[in-house]
């Protein structure tokens, strides 16, 4: 869902006559953390079912990734949109912590996906997800919202994902359309 939000933000930014020049002025504290965490998540997704020790430790590893990500977001909280991203990531982190390091996924919501997905979810490790059950804590914060057509990609998301994507959208718009922002500042100063 994060990549969907980024792509939508870029498309809207271009429609608003924005450009990618703002990315060159991007100044994030400890900016190297995000690509590192993304790399760890990709490696975990690829190898946790191949190596049992990674599968057993994956919940703990995902929690460390989330903690590092939350620290990164907190350090950059003054950036436009980052508080929204921080809140969304924290909601996802919180429900995962309460449920053994895995994001609960609603079987009802997941019914829009390939049936083999939920069977795999129930039977083995599937990235950082697990089936939502009666014993799930705060299941309403899990992946319970199905997205289907007209949305271009069928998927199941959480409330935290929505909040996080609002922040991503605001951040990318801020980077892509600085002229609009600068005009608003000049107008407000002249009033």
């Amino acid at each position: 869902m994060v990549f969907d939000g980024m792509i939508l933000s870029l498309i809207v930014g271009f429609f608003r006559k924005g450009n990618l020049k703002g990315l060159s002025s991007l100044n994030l504290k400890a900016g190297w953390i995000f690509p590192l965490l993304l790399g760890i998540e990709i490696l975990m997704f690829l190898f946790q079912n191949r190596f049992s020790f990674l599968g057993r430790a994956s919940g703990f590893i995902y929690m460390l990734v989330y903690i590092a990500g939350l620290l990164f977001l907190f350090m950059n909280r003054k950036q436009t949109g980052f508080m929204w991203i921080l809140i969304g990531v924290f909601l996802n982190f919180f429900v995962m912590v309460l449920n053994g390091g895995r994001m609960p996924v609603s079987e009802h919501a997941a019914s829009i996906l390939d049936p083999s997905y939920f069977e795999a979810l129930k039977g083995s490790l599937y990235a950082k997800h697990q089936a939502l059950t009666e014993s799930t804590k705060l299941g309403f914060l899990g992946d319970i919202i199905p997205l289907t057509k007209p949305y271009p990609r069928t998927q199941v998301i959480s409330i935290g994902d929505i909040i996080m994507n609002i922040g991503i959208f605001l951040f990318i718009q801020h980077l892509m359309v600085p002229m609009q922002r600068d005009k608003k500042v000049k107008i407000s100063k002249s009033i």
Side-chain angles (χ1 to χ4, degrees):
M1 179 69 184
V2 172
F3 296 112
D4 295 2
M6 293 169 107
I7 291 168
L8 177 64
S9 299
L10 290 168
I11 292 169
V12 170
F14 286 125
F15 273 114
R16 293 180 63 210
K17 299 184 176 152
N19 57 54
L20 299 177
K21 289 179 187 174
L23 295 175
S24 66
S25 65
L26 186 59
N27 187 17
L28 298 175
K29 296 175 185 170
W32 55 270
I33 291 176
F34 180 74
L36 175 67
L37 298 178
L38 183 61
I40 291 170
E41 282 213 38
I42 290 169
L43 289 173
M44 287 300 299
F45 178 77
L46 293 174
F47 296 111
Q48 73 178 2
N49 285 330
R50 292 184 191 172
F51 302 102
S52 61
F53 73 93
L54 276 180
R56 288 189 302 274
S58 63
F60 177 73
I61 293 169
Y62 282 125
M63 292 301 92
L64 290 178
V65 166
Y66 265 85
I67 290 168
L70 287 166
L71 288 172
F72 166 74
L73 292 168
F74 184 77
M75 289 185 329
N76 291 285
R77 68 190 176 280
K78 293 187 180 176
Q79 295 279 343
T80 300
F82 266 57
M83 279 305 291
W84 286 90
I85 300 169
L86 177 65
I87 292 167
V89 171
F90 177 77
L91 290 174
N92 286 347
F93 170 74
F94 187 60
V95 72
M96 289 172 70
V97 164
L98 293 177
N99 293 287
R102 304 235 180 250
M103 174 62 84
V105 180
S106 160
E107 182 172 8
H108 175 71
S111 67
I112 64 167
L113 304 172
D114 184 311
S116 63
Y117 167 79
F118 203 76
E119 289 306 314
L121 192 63
K122 289 190 299 189
S124 65
L125 299 175
Y126 196 87
K128 58 185 177 188
H129 299 91
Q130 68 185 10
L132 191 147
T133 65
E134 290 177 9
S135 64
T136 299
K137 295 171 182 77
L138 296 181
F140 70 94
L141 290 176
D143 286 345
I144 61 166
I145 304 166
L147 291 179
T148 59
K149 291 181 180 179
Y151 194 79
R153 230 169 41 103
T154 301
Q155 58 187 308
V156 181
I157 62 171
S158 69
I159 293 168
D161 293 336
I162 293 170
I163 294 170
M164 181 178 23
N165 275 287
I166 290 170
I168 291 168
F169 182 84
L170 293 171
F171 179 65
I172 291 176
Q173 293 308 297
H174 174 76
L175 290 177
M176 287 187 72
V177 194
M179 297 302 290
Q180 298 294 340
R181 182 190 69 231
D182 294 343
K183 285 179 188 176
K184 288 178 186 175
V185 170
K186 288 177 185 175
I187 291 170
S188 67
K189 285 182 180 178
S190 65
I191 295 179

